[in-house]
Amino acid sequence: MKRWHIRDIILVTIIAIFMGVIFWALGPVYTILAAALAPMGLQPLANELLLGIWVMAGPLAGFVIRIPGAATLGELLGAVVEMFLGGIWGASTLISGTLQGFGSELGFIFTGYKRYGWFTLFLSSLTTAIVTFVWDLFRNGYAAYHLPFLLLLFCVRLLSIFIFGGVLTKLINNLLVRAHVLKD
Amino acid sequence: MATVTVQSLTYTYPKQAHPVLDHLSGTFPTGKFSLLTGVSGGGKSTLLKLIAGLIPMSATPITFDGHPLSAITPTQRASTVAMLFQEPSTQFTMDTVENELRFALENQQVPAEEIADRCDAALDFIGISNLKFRKLMFLSGGEQQKVALAIIVAMDSDVILLDEPFASIDPPTRLILLEKLVALCNDRGKTIILADHDLSGYQQWVDHLAVLADGQLTLLSTAATRERFAAFTPQRLQLTHVQLPNDQLTVCLQGTQLGLAHGDRQLLTPQDLSLYAHRTTLITGPNGSGKSTLFKALVRLGRYQGQLTYRQTDITKIRKRRYARQVGLMFQAASAQFLNVTVAEELALSQKYGDHAYFTPTRIQQLLQQLNLAGRDEQVLYSLSSGQQKKIQLLCMLIMAPDVLLLDEPLKGLDYASIQAVMTILKTVQQDLNLTLILISHQLSGLDDLVDLHLTLADRHLTYQGVSA
Amino acid sequence: MNPSLKLALLVLIALEVSFIQVWSINVALIVVSLILMLLGRITWRRLLWLTLVPLFFSSALVWSLMLRSSASTHFLIVIFTRLFVYVYMGGWFTLTTPPLWLTHSLEQNAKLPSKFAYGFLAAFNLMPKIQAEVATVRAAALMRGEVLHVWSPRLYFKVILAAMNWSDQLAAAMTSHGFVEGAPRTHAQTVPLVARDWWLFVGSLLLVQVGLFVGLP
C-alpha cells in the first residue's frame, strides 16, 4: 500500500487551503442565505445547502492523492487551516473536520482504494452525509426536530454533498485524468 | 570539497521515447565555477536535479570525489550538494528567514547551541543580517534568492547547484550573488554549477563553460571558454523608427499618479502615464523592475496606487467581465492562460468568443501551419514543449482580439524560426484588426518592424524613448 | 501550558460538551474562557466578533428548534450556550498558541512525524500564492469570455495542476535543505513539557467532571 510522502502531505494541505479559500469567498452568500432563512426557522437549511462545498476537500483529496487516509487528512487539515486563519469555531471544527473526512474515507475504504469511479463517489457521499448527520444530531441538537423536518434536512444534505463531493469531484477528476496527471 | 563526475548518464522523461540526456559524461572540478548552458528545454534542469539527487535513479553514474550520492548518509547529503531553484518563492518551508535557516540546520542535526551562530554567520556572509526576522513571503525575488544562498552557506554544502537563479532578479542583486558565489569558490573551495541559457555578463566570473546540446555535455577549457565569451555578443535593441508620442495618437489607457509597489518596496514612483491606441508599444527595463507588475495592475490582477482609466472611465468602475474582453493579457507563464486539456479545445474556446469573422477556420489552420503546429489538435497542452505552449497561447489570445492586448515575454523560449513566424503574424493581425499591442520582451532581435513606441522602466520611472516626430 | 496538551484538553472538553446537557457547565466554561482571553489581552474587536457571530448562529438555531421541535427550554439553553463554549474556548486557544509553536510541540512532544509537521507548514506559507492563483485562473477565463463559478470543474482543475507543481517544487526544496523523512533532527528551540503541564491538564479535566456531577439536573 502506498505510504505518505512529503509531496503528498504538501499537496493535500494545499487542496485543503484552496477549499478554504473557496469557502471563504462564499461567506457572503452563506450569510445572506442564513439570514434569509432564519426568520422561518429554516437557518439549518443554509448549512445543509452549502455543506457539500465544505466537505469537498475530503473526496477531492481522496481522488487526487490515492493513499489511505487522504480524505480524512484533507478535511482535518482544512479545519486546522481554518482554525489558524482565525476561524472562530476552534476545537469543534477539528472534531467536525475529522468526522467529515472520516465519513468520506469510509466510501473509499468500502471499495478498498481500488475503484475511483461513480460508485465510490456515491458511496462516499452517502457515508459522509450519514456520519456528519449523526454528529449534528448531538452537537446541534438536531435530534429534537420533528421527523419530517429532520428528513428534509438529511435529504438536502445528501444532495449537496453528492453534487459537490460527488458530481463536481468526478468532473474535476475526469479533467485531471485526461491531462494525464491522474490514472483512470 | 568535491569534484563532481558524471559517467555515461542516460535519462528519459517518463512517458517519452527519446532520452533527454544520452550517455552524458563530464567532470565539474572542485573549487571551480562552471556555467552550464544550452537551449531551454535541453535538459539543464534535469541534469542539475540528477546531480542533486532530487530525481531518484537506481544505479547513479554520478559521483562526488568518487563516492556515489547513495553512499552518503541521507542527512549529510545536503552538506555535500544543495540546490538553488529558479522560482524563488517555492523553496522555503518556514515563515521567517531565521526559522528557515534553523530548519535546514536542524535537518543536518547540528547541535542546538551551534545553530544561532551559524545562522548569523551565513546571513552576515551574504550581507542580509537585516532580513533575519522578516517573513519570507514578503521579500522580493532577489532577497529570496539571497536567503536561499545564505541557507546553502549555513549548511556548508560542498557543491552548489543553481538553476537559472537570475530569471526574475534585478541586476544589482545578480551582481552581489555572483560576487558571493565567486568568493565561495575561491575562498572556501566550493564547486559551483550554474545553469543559464543567456551568456551575457558572465565572462569575468566563470572558469568553465559546459555546453549541453543533444543530450551530450561538452566542457570547454578556460581558454576555449574565454574565446566563446569573446565571440558572444549580447542582443542589441535596434529600433529605427520609434518616435516619441505626438498629439495625433489616441490615449487608450491613462494612469494618473500611477504607482506600483511590491510589499514595502516601491517599483514605480507615482507618475502620469499614457498608453496609446492602435500602436505597438515595447516596454523594456531590468529584471525585477516591475514590468509584469504593471501588466497585472492594468488587467486588475494587482494593486496599484493612483488611478487608471480606460477610454476615460476608471477601470474599477467597468464591469470585470466587460473589461476583461477589452484589455487582455498574454501571461508570461503559458500554463496560466490555458483552461482546457487539449489544443483543439483551447482553440475552440477562443473561436467561440473571439473574432470569428477574421479568424475563420481556414485562417486558423494557416496560422497553425505557419507556427509549425499543424496536426497537434488532440495533444494535451501540458505535455507540449514550452515553445509550443507559448505559440498556442499567443494564437488563443490573438483570436480573442481584445482592443488592447498585453504580451508578457511572448517570445520567451522560442527558436529563431518561431520568432520570425510570430513576428510576421503579430504584425499582420495588428494591422488588419487595428489592435493595440503592448509588449514586454527580453528577446530584442527582430522587434524593429513591429514596434512604434518604446517605454523604458528605469529608476522607478517609465519614460518614452525616441526622437520627436 | 504545553500546546499539545492544551489542544488535547480543548478537543476532549469540546467532545464532552457536545454530548452532555448541563447548561451550568457550559456557562462555567464560557466564563473561564472569557477570563483567560481577557488575561491574554484580547482586542475588543476580536472579542466582539467572537460574540456576535455565535450569537447569530445560536439564536437562529434555537429559533428554528422552537418552531420545528418540541424541545424543552432546558435543552434550548444548553444548545444556545454550547456554541459559545466552542467559540470562546477556541478563541482562547488561538489567542495564546502561535501556530509554529504548536507545530513544534506536536513534533517534539506528541511525536507527530516531522514530515506531517513540516509538510503542513510548507504548504501553509503558500496561502497568498493560492489566493492569487484562484484570481489568475478566473481572470484568464474572463479574458476568454468564460465566467468560472464555484461549481466550475475547470477552476479546480487548474488550481490542482498548479498545486501539483508547487508541491513538487517544495518537496525538492525541502530535500535540498537537508530534510529527510523519518530521519532524526535536532531542535533549535525545545518546547518544554513539565509536570506542571500534566497537573493542569488532569486537574482541568477532573474539574469539568466534578462540575458535571454537581450540575446534573
Side-chain angles (χ1 to χ4, degrees):
Chain A
M1 207 166 258
K2 264 182 86 181
R3 285 183 58 236
W4 282 96
H5 286 298
I6 191 80
R7 177 195 178 270
D8 310 310
I9 297 164
I10 297 170
L11 184 55
V12 79
T13 315
I14 297 178
I15 291 177
I17 296 173
F18 167 46
M19 288 312 300
V21 171
I22 296 278
F23 203 76
W24 178 79
L26 275 178
V29 179
Y30 175 70
T31 313
I32 293 166
L33 203 63
L37 289 170
M40 291 164 282
L42 292 173
Q43 181 265 339
L45 262 184
N47 290 329
E48 307 300 324
L49 277 168
L50 294 181
L51 193 76
I53 304 178
W54 184 232
V55 302
M56 207 178 126
L60 197 56
F63 256 76
V64 174
I65 304 140
R66 300 177 174 184
I67 305 176
T72 316
L73 199 63
E75 200 56 49
L76 171 63
L77 288 178
V80 176
V81 169
E82 202 219 284
M83 193 175 81
F84 279 168
L85 289 179
I88 60 164
W89 300 101
S92 85
T93 325
L94 294 183
I95 302 172
S96 324
T98 312
L99 284 170
Q100 288 158 357
F102 181 67
S104 316
E105 192 81 38
L106 278 177
F108 295 100
I109 293 176
F110 287 150
T111 51
Y113 297 96
K114 288 198 176 66
R115 296 173 58 179
Y116 285 90
W118 281 111
F119 179 70
T120 304
L121 276 174
F122 182 73
L123 200 64
S124 169
S125 306
L126 190 68
T127 48
T128 313
I130 293 172
V131 171
T132 56
F133 206 75
V134 170
W135 168 238
D136 275 331
L137 286 180
F138 292 98
R139 191 191 103 126
N140 283 331
Y142 275 21
Y145 280 120
H146 296 307
L147 194 60
F149 189 63
L150 208 56
L151 276 175
L152 174 71
L153 289 179
F154 182 77
C155 290
V156 173
R157 173 172 300 201
L158 180 60
L159 194 69
S160 167
I161 293 178
F162 183 65
I163 287 173
F164 288 100
V167 180
L168 185 54
T169 304
K170 178 71 177 137
L171 293 176
I172 297 164
N173 177 67
N174 290 353
L175 286 172
L176 291 167
V177 168
R178 286 182 48 219
H180 303 313
V181 291
L182 281 187
K183 287 200 199 87
D184 198 4
Chain B
M1 272 176 244
T3 295
V4 182
T5 314
V6 186
Q7 282 263 321
S8 185
L9 166 71
T10 301
Y11 183 79
T12 314
Y13 291 121
K15 292 177 204 157
Q16 297 235 325
H18 301 290
V20 60
L21 305 177
D22 191 8
H23 293 92
L24 176 147
S25 298
T27 306
F28 298 97
T30 182
K32 296 289 179 194
F33 191 149
S34 307
L35 177 62
L36 178 64
T37 186
V39 292
S40 34
K44 297 192 297 294
S45 293
T46 311
L47 178 59
L48 290 188
K49 278 186 188 156
L50 284 164
I51 296 175
L54 295 173
I55 302 175
M57 284 191 94
S58 45
T60 159
I62 300 164
T63 54
F64 296 82
D65 276 346
H67 306 287
L69 198 59
S70 51
I72 304 163
T73 51
T75 41
Q76 291 313 312
R77 278 185 196 176
S79 53
T80 306
V81 56
M83 185 148 159
L84 196 147
F85 298 85
Q86 177 176 4
E87 171 56 48
S89 65
T90 48
Q91 53 184 331
F92 304 111
T93 308
M94 309 298 281
D95 53 348
T96 66
V97 175
E98 186 189 28
N99 286 334
E100 184 68 29
L101 278 158
R102 282 178 177 162
F103 168 73
L105 293 177
E106 289 171 351
N107 291 334
Q108 286 186 293
Q109 299 178 55
V110 173
E113 59 276 10
E114 289 174 27
I115 288 179
D117 288 344
R118 274 177 74 168
C119 291
D120 289 340
L123 290 171
D124 189 48
F125 179 81
I126 305 293
I128 48 166
S129 301
N130 56 324
L131 299 182
K132 187 175 175 182
F133 303 109
R134 296 277 298 277
K135 292 246 185 204
L136 284 158
M137 269 296 149
F138 297 129
L139 298 181
S140 71
E143 289 169 329
Q144 286 175 338
Q145 291 300 49
K146 283 185 185 170
V147 174
L149 187 58
I151 289 161
I152 295 176
V153 170
M155 295 195 303
D156 203 19
S157 315
D158 291 330
V159 179
I160 304 174
L161 311 172
L162 303 99
D163 185 6
E164 306 247 354
F166 309 126
S168 54
I169 306 306
D170 56 294
T173 304
R174 179 178 187 270
L175 202 63
I176 293 170
L177 283 167
L178 276 171
E179 280 169 359
K180 299 297 174 192
L181 286 170
V182 170
L184 285 167
C185 248
N186 296 342
D187 307 345
R188 303 195 183 182
K190 303 296 180 194
T191 312
I192 290 170
I193 312 172
L194 189 151
D196 202 332
H197 66 277
D198 183 3
L199 289 183
S200 47
Y202 280 111
Q203 51 266 59
Q204 55 187 106
W205 313 101
V206 168
D207 299 315
H208 289 279
L209 199 58
V211 185
L212 179 60
D214 305 318
Q216 299 281 332
L217 193 67
T218 319
L219 290 163
L220 305 184
S221 66
T222 314
T225 300
R226 244 182 245 134
E227 266 172 48
R228 184 75 170 247
F229 276 130
F232 178 83
T233 39
Q235 287 177 14
R236 288 261 165 68
L237 183 60
Q238 284 204 318
L239 299 173
T240 48
H241 53 263
V242 159
Q243 293 185 340
L244 285 174
N246 56 46
D247 302 342
Q248 268 112 60
L249 297 177
T250 350
V251 173
C252 66
L253 281 156
Q254 172 73 45
T256 313
Q257 286 305 300
L258 177 69
L260 297 168
H262 178 279
D264 51 9
R265 202 168 58 108
Q266 194 74 24
L267 295 168
L268 185 70
T269 320
Q271 69 170 96
D272 291 345
L273 173 74
S274 304
L275 294 165
Y276 299 95
H278 317 307
R279 290 291 179 277
T280 301
T281 307
L282 171 70
I283 304 179
T284 57
N287 285 346
S289 57
K291 302 185 297 294
S292 295
T293 313
L294 172 69
F295 273 11
K296 286 202 180 117
L298 290 175
V299 294
R300 293 169 68 177
L301 265 176
R303 290 163 184 275
Y304 56 87
Q305 304 140 8
Q307 196 196 28
L308 264 173
T309 56
Y310 173 69
R311 294 177 195 257
Q312 281 98 46
T313 318
D314 191 317
I315 61 167
T316 55
K317 303 233 161 68
I318 308 173
R319 280 190 62 205
K320 267 199 167 172
R321 239 174 125 163
R322 242 195 81 209
Y323 184 66
R325 297 298 301 279
Q326 315 278 319
V327 180
L329 167 64
M330 176 179 166
F331 291 94
Q332 192 173 128
S335 57
Q337 206 92 51
F338 301 139
L339 295 164
N340 295 291
V341 179
T342 65
V343 174
E345 290 170 350
E346 202 63 41
L347 289 170
L349 176 66
S350 277
Q351 279 168 277
K352 187 170 159 194
Y353 295 103
D355 185 342
H356 26 244
Y358 180 79
F359 288 98
T360 56
T362 339
R363 190 187 292 271
I364 289 174
Q365 278 314 313
Q366 227 171 17
L367 290 171
L368 285 171
Q369 290 278 358
Q370 243 175 303
L371 292 167
N372 197 17
L373 285 168
R376 296 195 179 270
D377 281 7
E378 290 315 310
Q379 232 179 307
V380 173
L381 289 160
Y382 311 93
S383 66
L384 295 173
S385 76
S386 62
Q388 291 165 334
Q389 288 190 3
K390 208 77 204 165
K391 290 187 276 183
I392 293 285
Q393 182 198 7
L394 178 79
L395 199 50
C396 287
M397 284 316 286
L398 275 181
I399 297 173
M400 292 313 295
D403 288 351
V404 181
L405 180 55
L406 310 172
L407 305 144
D408 195 349
E409 299 284 358
L411 307 172
K412 198 177 170 187
L414 296 188
D415 53 37
Y416 183 75
S418 299
I419 290 177
Q420 297 305 312
V422 165
M423 278 304 164
T424 318
I425 294 169
L426 273 178
K427 180 89 186 149
T428 322
V429 175
Q430 194 269 330
Q431 283 180 347
D432 289 356
L433 300 178
N434 209 10
L435 298 181
T436 306
L437 300 181
I438 303 172
L439 63 139
I440 298 172
S441 185
H442 273 100
Q443 167 67 47
L444 300 172
S445 53
L447 290 174
D448 194 24
D449 285 343
L450 185 70
V451 175
D452 307 305
L453 297 162
H454 180 204
L455 263 175
T456 52
L457 178 50
D459 301 324
R460 300 188 204 99
H461 203 82
L462 278 160
T463 334
Y464 277 102
Q465 307 291 315
V467 289
S468 35
Chain C
M1 189 173 176
N2 179 279
S4 299
L5 276 184
K6 204 198 288 184
L7 181 68
L9 179 67
L10 203 70
V11 172
L12 285 174
I13 294 180
L15 205 58
E16 195 165 3
V17 163
S18 307
F19 291 101
I20 57 168
Q21 298 181 5
V22 184
W23 68 269
S24 49
I25 273 286
N26 287 357
V27 172
L29 285 168
I30 291 169
V31 171
V32 171
S33 304
L34 185 63
I35 292 171
L36 287 171
M37 279 196 285
L38 290 174
L39 287 176
R41 292 168 187 272
I42 191 172
T43 61
W44 288 107
R45 273 189 61 165
R46 175 88 183 147
L47 190 59
L48 196 69
W49 177 246
L50 288 183
T51 309
L52 289 180
V53 176
L55 188 67
F56 169 75
F57 283 102
S58 287
S59 316
L61 184 60
V62 165
W63 175 241
S64 156
L65 280 165
M66 280 166 75
L67 287 183
R68 296 178 191 277
S69 79
S70 34
S72 63
T73 319
H74 171 257
F75 183 73
L76 293 180
I77 297 174
V78 168
I79 290 290
F80 185 82
T81 49
R82 188 180 283 170
L83 291 190
F84 280 92
V85 176
Y86 295 145
V87 173
Y88 275 29
M89 284 203 319
W92 162 64
F93 182 77
T94 39
L95 181 73
T96 55
T97 322
L100 188 63
W101 195 237
L102 173 65
T103 323
H104 280 325
S105 167
L106 288 173
E107 184 201 1
Q108 294 172 24
N109 310 132
K111 303 296 168 216
L112 177 76
S114 57
K115 59 182 173 184
F116 286 99
Y118 291 100
F120 175 79
L121 286 176
F124 194 72
N125 289 327
L126 288 186
M127 184 78 197
K129 266 186 108 74
I130 298 168
Q131 280 171 324
E133 182 67 21
V134 174
T136 305
V137 174
R138 298 186 72 167
L142 281 183
M143 288 172 198
R144 307 285 294 286
E146 295 251 312
V147 187
L148 294 185
H149 301 279
V150 282
W151 56 82
S152 308
R154 281 187 288 185
L155 174 64
Y156 297 82
F157 166 64
K158 289 291 298 183
V159 176
I160 289 174
L161 280 186
M164 286 176 159
N165 265 333
W166 293 332
S167 43
D168 286 339
Q169 288 169 0
L170 274 178
M174 288 174 81
T175 310
S176 177
H177 286 178
F179 183 78
V180 181
E181 289 177 25
R185 310 173 71 251
T186 50
H187 301 289
Q189 295 168 303
T190 15
V191 185
L193 176 60
V194 292
R196 202 181 73 110
D197 294 312
W198 283 107
W199 283 117
L200 269 172
F201 177 73
V202 176
S204 315
L205 268 185
L206 273 178
L207 212 63
V208 175
Q209 311 315 314
V210 172
L212 226 174
F213 213 69
V214 175
L216 270 179

